Amino acid sequence: MRIALFGNKYKKAYIEQVDDILNALKSKNAEIVAEKDFFNFLKLSGHDISCISDSFTTADNFQADFAFSIGGDGTFLTTASVIGDKNIPILGINTGHLGFMTDVLKSEVGEAIEELFAGEYVIEERTVLKLTTDNPDLQKPLYALNEIAVLKQDSASMIGISASVNGEYLNHYQADGLIVATPTGSTAYSMSVGGPIVVPQAHNLILSPVSPHSLNVRPLVIPDNWTIDLEVKSRSKNFLVSSDGRSSVFSNKYKLKLQKGEFTIKIIKRKNHTFFTALREKLLWGIDNR
């Protein structure tokens, strides 16, 4: 079995957990490969990397049976962006703070790997968002597992965002931005601006305005087979497009089209790790301390 490792390259204290992961994989005679930057980080940090047979860059057309994302949810999103349409299931191992997607704890690593090799796990397929544009600097589509956000670039003025759904005019948002989120992203940035929580298995997209200058504008849930077209106007003539936290500057003259991607991201879940359990334990959903 071939395992591809991705990891947080900035928190040395947490990365010590990698030794447990490597030892558990060695005991299973797994072939281990690692993303090149993470491989170099482990090497410089003094880890025994003799069991890692190869390293790869994000541009390589690598293949593996499974991918391990070691870090927090940010690391998981980076892993998902590299995996893309390669159809490789990802196991998230939490060394961060919240770990909504990376929900395997340090104390559970051994058990989780045993279950993985025994085939005792669940794979959840998660929708991704696809962004295309007439911006010549962006020839390839952008993909996001959580959300694509259109945001103001400067701190002074709101931006105007004209949105159409399936070719029909929806609304002109005067706001700091607009978030289009997947069900996976409903517990991330979208939730922080008042968007609804949506179970990952739902076939929906969520439009959540950021600080709208209106009492009548609320988040909207639509089917995920609908297409969203956006035109943006700002005083600075530019705006930001953020794809799972990776931002680019766009000019007002370019239009955006958002729709469901043609592939899914496959997330490995332990059988006792459910979405509702994560809501209660990670976000304290429904907790009443009265």
PDB file of all heavy atoms in Angstrom, residues 228-242:
ATOM      1  N   ILE A 228     -23.620  30.070 -10.853  1.00  0.00           N
ATOM      2  CA  ILE A 228     -23.639  31.419 -10.298  1.00  0.00           C
ATOM      3  C   ILE A 228     -22.698  32.299 -11.116  1.00  0.00           C
ATOM      4  O   ILE A 228     -21.520  31.960 -11.308  1.00  0.00           O
ATOM      5  CB  ILE A 228     -23.177  31.412  -8.820  1.00  0.00           C
ATOM      6  CG1 ILE A 228     -24.054  30.467  -7.993  1.00  0.00           C
ATOM      7  CG2 ILE A 228     -23.188  32.820  -8.241  1.00  0.00           C
ATOM      8  CD1 ILE A 228     -23.461  30.109  -6.647  1.00  0.00           C
ATOM      9  N   ASP A 229     -23.203  33.425 -11.605  1.00  0.00           N
ATOM     10  CA  ASP A 229     -22.389  34.403 -12.343  1.00  0.00           C
ATOM     11  C   ASP A 229     -22.293  35.677 -11.525  1.00  0.00           C
ATOM     12  O   ASP A 229     -23.314  36.185 -11.023  1.00  0.00           O
ATOM     13  CB  ASP A 229     -23.007  34.701 -13.708  1.00  0.00           C
ATOM     14  CG  ASP A 229     -22.932  33.508 -14.649  1.00  0.00           C
ATOM     15  OD1 ASP A 229     -21.810  33.178 -15.074  1.00  0.00           O
ATOM     16  OD2 ASP A 229     -23.985  32.911 -14.945  1.00  0.00           O
ATOM     17  N   LEU A 230     -21.072  36.208 -11.413  1.00  0.00           N
ATOM     18  CA  LEU A 230     -20.835  37.396 -10.601  1.00  0.00           C
ATOM     19  C   LEU A 230     -20.116  38.466 -11.417  1.00  0.00           C
ATOM     20  O   LEU A 230     -19.200  38.175 -12.187  1.00  0.00           O
ATOM     21  CB  LEU A 230     -19.985  37.060  -9.371  1.00  0.00           C
ATOM     22  CG  LEU A 230     -20.504  35.979  -8.420  1.00  0.00           C
ATOM     23  CD1 LEU A 230     -19.493  35.740  -7.305  1.00  0.00           C
ATOM     24  CD2 LEU A 230     -21.861  36.355  -7.841  1.00  0.00           C
ATOM     25  N   GLU A 231     -20.564  39.719 -11.216  1.00  0.00           N
ATOM     26  CA  GLU A 231     -19.847  40.890 -11.724  1.00  0.00           C
ATOM     27  C   GLU A 231     -19.602  41.809 -10.544  1.00  0.00           C
ATOM     28  O   GLU A 231     -20.514  42.085  -9.766  1.00  0.00           O
ATOM     29  CB  GLU A 231     -20.656  41.610 -12.811  1.00  0.00           C
ATOM     30  CG  GLU A 231     -20.842  40.797 -14.078  1.00  0.00           C
ATOM     31  CD  GLU A 231     -21.508  41.611 -15.186  1.00  0.00           C
ATOM     32  OE1 GLU A 231     -21.109  42.793 -15.370  1.00  0.00           O
ATOM     33  OE2 GLU A 231     -22.423  41.090 -15.836  1.00  0.00           O
ATOM     34  N   VAL A 232     -18.381  42.311 -10.424  1.00  0.00           N
ATOM     35  CA  VAL A 232     -17.981  43.077  -9.252  1.00  0.00           C
ATOM     36  C   VAL A 232     -17.557  44.481  -9.652  1.00  0.00           C
ATOM     37  O   VAL A 232     -16.862  44.674 -10.654  1.00  0.00           O
ATOM     38  CB  VAL A 232     -16.813  42.373  -8.511  1.00  0.00           C
ATOM     39  CG1 VAL A 232     -16.455  43.129  -7.232  1.00  0.00           C
ATOM     40  CG2 VAL A 232     -17.186  40.925  -8.192  1.00  0.00           C
ATOM     41  N   LYS A 233     -17.980  45.457  -8.862  1.00  0.00           N
ATOM     42  CA  LYS A 233     -17.560  46.841  -9.044  1.00  0.00           C
ATOM     43  C   LYS A 233     -17.014  47.358  -7.712  1.00  0.00           C
ATOM     44  O   LYS A 233     -17.633  47.159  -6.668  1.00  0.00           O
ATOM     45  CB  LYS A 233     -18.732  47.719  -9.488  1.00  0.00           C
ATOM     46  CG  LYS A 233     -19.374  47.306 -10.812  1.00  0.00           C
ATOM     47  CD  LYS A 233     -18.395  47.440 -11.971  1.00  0.00           C
ATOM     48  CE  LYS A 233     -19.056  47.026 -13.289  1.00  0.00           C
ATOM     49  NZ  LYS A 233     -18.081  47.052 -14.422  1.00  0.00           N
ATOM     50  N   SER A 234     -15.852  47.995  -7.787  1.00  0.00           N
ATOM     51  CA  SER A 234     -15.276  48.596  -6.589  1.00  0.00           C
ATOM     52  C   SER A 234     -14.620  49.920  -6.957  1.00  0.00           C
ATOM     53  O   SER A 234     -14.203  50.120  -8.105  1.00  0.00           O
ATOM     54  CB  SER A 234     -14.240  47.658  -5.955  1.00  0.00           C
ATOM     55  OG  SER A 234     -13.081  47.567  -6.748  1.00  0.00           O
ATOM     56  N   ARG A 235     -14.523  50.808  -5.980  1.00  0.00           N
ATOM     57  CA  ARG A 235     -13.917  52.118  -6.238  1.00  0.00           C
ATOM     58  C   ARG A 235     -12.446  51.999  -6.596  1.00  0.00           C
ATOM     59  O   ARG A 235     -11.912  52.803  -7.351  1.00  0.00           O
ATOM     60  CB  ARG A 235     -14.084  53.009  -5.009  1.00  0.00           C
ATOM     61  CG  ARG A 235     -15.525  53.442  -4.752  1.00  0.00           C
ATOM     62  CD  ARG A 235     -15.608  54.370  -3.556  1.00  0.00           C
ATOM     63  NE  ARG A 235     -16.982  54.756  -3.281  1.00  0.00           N
ATOM     64  CZ  ARG A 235     -17.350  55.533  -2.266  1.00  0.00           C
ATOM     65  NH1 ARG A 235     -16.425  56.003  -1.429  1.00  0.00           N
ATOM     66  NH2 ARG A 235     -18.623  55.835  -2.082  1.00  0.00           N
ATOM     67  N   SER A 236     -11.794  51.003  -6.045  1.00  0.00           N
ATOM     68  CA  SER A 236     -10.373  50.826  -6.324  1.00  0.00           C
ATOM     69  C   SER A 236     -10.125  50.130  -7.667  1.00  0.00           C
ATOM     70  O   SER A 236      -8.971  49.949  -8.061  1.00  0.00           O
ATOM     71  CB  SER A 236      -9.724  50.003  -5.203  1.00  0.00           C
ATOM     72  OG  SER A 236     -10.242  48.683  -5.189  1.00  0.00           O
ATOM     73  N   LYS A 237     -11.199  49.718  -8.325  1.00  0.00           N
ATOM     74  CA  LYS A 237     -11.130  49.025  -9.621  1.00  0.00           C
ATOM     75  C   LYS A 237     -10.607  47.596  -9.513  1.00  0.00           C
ATOM     76  O   LYS A 237     -10.411  46.924 -10.523  1.00  0.00           O
ATOM     77  CB  LYS A 237     -10.260  49.793 -10.641  1.00  0.00           C
ATOM     78  CG  LYS A 237     -10.648  51.244 -10.828  1.00  0.00           C
ATOM     79  CD  LYS A 237     -12.073  51.406 -11.331  1.00  0.00           C
ATOM     80  CE  LYS A 237     -12.415  52.866 -11.557  1.00  0.00           C
ATOM     81  NZ  LYS A 237     -13.845  53.051 -11.962  1.00  0.00           N
ATOM     82  N   ASN A 238     -10.374  47.137  -8.271  1.00  0.00           N
ATOM     83  CA  ASN A 238      -9.882  45.780  -8.058  1.00  0.00           C
ATOM     84  C   ASN A 238     -10.611  45.140  -6.891  1.00  0.00           C
ATOM     85  O   ASN A 238     -11.203  45.825  -6.053  1.00  0.00           O
ATOM     86  CB  ASN A 238      -8.368  45.785  -7.769  1.00  0.00           C
ATOM     87  CG  ASN A 238      -7.536  46.245  -8.943  1.00  0.00           C
ATOM     88  OD1 ASN A 238      -7.519  45.614  -9.989  1.00  0.00           O
ATOM     89  ND2 ASN A 238      -6.850  47.371  -8.771  1.00  0.00           N
ATOM     90  N   PHE A 239     -10.572  43.814  -6.845  1.00  0.00           N
ATOM     91  CA  PHE A 239     -11.147  43.068  -5.729  1.00  0.00           C
ATOM     92  C   PHE A 239     -10.362  41.778  -5.549  1.00  0.00           C
ATOM     93  O   PHE A 239      -9.527  41.420  -6.382  1.00  0.00           O
ATOM     94  CB  PHE A 239     -12.637  42.781  -5.968  1.00  0.00           C
ATOM     95  CG  PHE A 239     -12.926  41.949  -7.188  1.00  0.00           C
ATOM     96  CD1 PHE A 239     -13.076  40.573  -7.111  1.00  0.00           C
ATOM     97  CD2 PHE A 239     -13.070  42.556  -8.443  1.00  0.00           C
ATOM     98  CE1 PHE A 239     -13.338  39.804  -8.236  1.00  0.00           C
ATOM     99  CE2 PHE A 239     -13.344  41.797  -9.576  1.00  0.00           C
ATOM    100  CZ  PHE A 239     -13.482  40.425  -9.467  1.00  0.00           C
ATOM    101  N   LEU A 240     -10.622  41.091  -4.440  1.00  0.00           N
ATOM    102  CA  LEU A 240      -9.929  39.849  -4.147  1.00  0.00           C
ATOM    103  C   LEU A 240     -10.832  38.652  -4.409  1.00  0.00           C
ATOM    104  O   LEU A 240     -12.032  38.704  -4.127  1.00  0.00           O
ATOM    105  CB  LEU A 240      -9.480  39.807  -2.683  1.00  0.00           C
ATOM    106  CG  LEU A 240      -8.397  40.796  -2.246  1.00  0.00           C
ATOM    107  CD1 LEU A 240      -8.140  40.639  -0.748  1.00  0.00           C
ATOM    108  CD2 LEU A 240      -7.112  40.583  -3.028  1.00  0.00           C
ATOM    109  N   VAL A 241     -10.249  37.589  -4.925  1.00  0.00           N
ATOM    110  CA  VAL A 241     -10.917  36.297  -5.017  1.00  0.00           C
ATOM    111  C   VAL A 241     -10.130  35.329  -4.165  1.00  0.00           C
ATOM    112  O   VAL A 241      -8.934  35.097  -4.411  1.00  0.00           O
ATOM    113  CB  VAL A 241     -11.010  35.794  -6.465  1.00  0.00           C
ATOM    114  CG1 VAL A 241     -11.576  34.378  -6.499  1.00  0.00           C
ATOM    115  CG2 VAL A 241     -11.881  36.720  -7.298  1.00  0.00           C
ATOM    116  N   SER A 242     -10.780  34.777  -3.150  1.00  0.00           N
ATOM    117  CA  SER A 242     -10.129  33.847  -2.236  1.00  0.00           C
ATOM    118  C   SER A 242     -10.693  32.449  -2.448  1.00  0.00           C
ATOM    119  O   SER A 242     -11.896  32.237  -2.355  1.00  0.00           O
ATOM    120  CB  SER A 242     -10.349  34.288  -0.784  1.00  0.00           C
ATOM    121  OG  SER A 242      -9.828  33.336   0.114  1.00  0.00           O
TER     122      SER A 242
END
